[in-house]
Amino acid sequence: MSRIRPFHPGDEPALAEICLRTADGGGDATGVLGDDTIWADIFVLPYVARHPDAAFVVATDDGRVAGYAVAAPDTRAFAEWFRTEWWPAHGARFARPGATAREREILGYADRRSGAGETYAEEYPAHLHVDLLPELQGQGWGRRLIAEVIAALRAQGVPALHLVATAENAGALVFYDRLGFHRLPSEPGSQAFGMRLD
């Protein structure tokens, strides 16, 4: 039977695969970028490297990892670490010359990331990412993963968290509404959500 457990070192390849298979507005992003590893190096692997204690996975009964939730308790501090330590070590291997428009957009986001640029971090200091393979979707695993992250953040005294979804991922938008997140003013093409934890 599937179960939620804390992240363990060695889970990284499975998390990277899940990230890739859910990165295109909730769908499979395989082949969307010239290098499929870009997604995970931005959206999941830095989180488990920096905050493994705020990462949880769904382990299936056959031993696979098929979903995860990861968080940064302090978004601004995380973004500064990403800018000064993580991305210089990981981002340089991705080619910028000849990149497609989508690659330039994704890599540009990572290249420009900094603590000062985190729009929602003042009021909602933590942020999270959650992704499930299709086989687990619609079964309550996302809700349970987020509950684990929220409990971990509350134990650290974090007062609030936020997340950002792509505007075209209609299922995710409804999901976050149902979980009690409230919608925040957002850039075109995205929808941000916030939740108080205190």
Side-chain angles (χ1 to χ4, degrees):
M1 187 169 180
S2 297
R3 64 185 178 89
I4 292 176
R5 64 163 172 79
F7 162 81
H8 296 158
D11 289 337
E12 292 90 346
L15 302 190
E17 179 68 16
I18 295 162
C19 183
L20 173 63
R21 291 182 52 198
T22 58
D24 192 21
D28 193 343
T30 301
V32 169
L33 305 179
D35 187 329
D36 285 339
T37 64
I38 292 171
W39 302 102
D41 272 357
I42 296 172
F43 296 110
V44 68
L45 297 181
Y47 292 85
V48 297
R50 178 78 168 163
H51 296 292
D53 57 334
F56 298 88
V57 304
V58 180
T60 63
D61 54 4
D62 59 358
R64 293 177 302 113
V65 172
Y68 65 79
V70 295
D74 182 332
T75 295
R76 287 188 171 151
F78 175 83
E80 280 302 305
W81 169 83
F82 182 95
R83 181 181 68 82
T84 60
E85 296 184 44
W86 177 269
W87 199 235
H90 294 82
R93 67 188 175 89
F94 301 122
R96 281 20 175 221
T100 66
R102 187 78 185 273
E103 288 169 334
R104 287 194 304 273
E105 175 189 354
I106 300 292
L107 292 172
Y109 161 78
D111 291 342
R112 294 185 304 272
R113 192 161 190 194
S114 72
E118 295 293 337
T119 308
Y120 308 102
E122 180 76 31
E123 190 171 354
Y124 303 93
H127 74 279
L128 67 81
H129 293 281
V130 59
D131 287 304
L132 297 166
L133 291 178
E135 68 192 76
L136 292 184
Q137 293 174 7
Q139 301 173 40
W141 290 108
R143 177 184 302 271
R144 282 175 264 180
L145 281 167
I146 290 173
E148 292 286 345
V149 169
I150 287 172
L153 294 174
R154 280 189 171 131
Q156 296 178 45
V158 176
L161 81 152
H162 71 277
L163 59 91
V164 181
T166 56
E168 72 263 19
N169 192 345
L173 304 186
V174 171
F175 171 70
Y176 296 126
D177 287 334
R178 288 181 180 156
L179 283 185
F181 285 87
H182 55 276
R183 295 188 184 210
L184 302 172
S186 304
E187 296 291 327
S190 66
Q191 179 58 62
F193 292 85
M195 177 183 283
R196 300 296 307 175
L197 303 182
D198 49 10

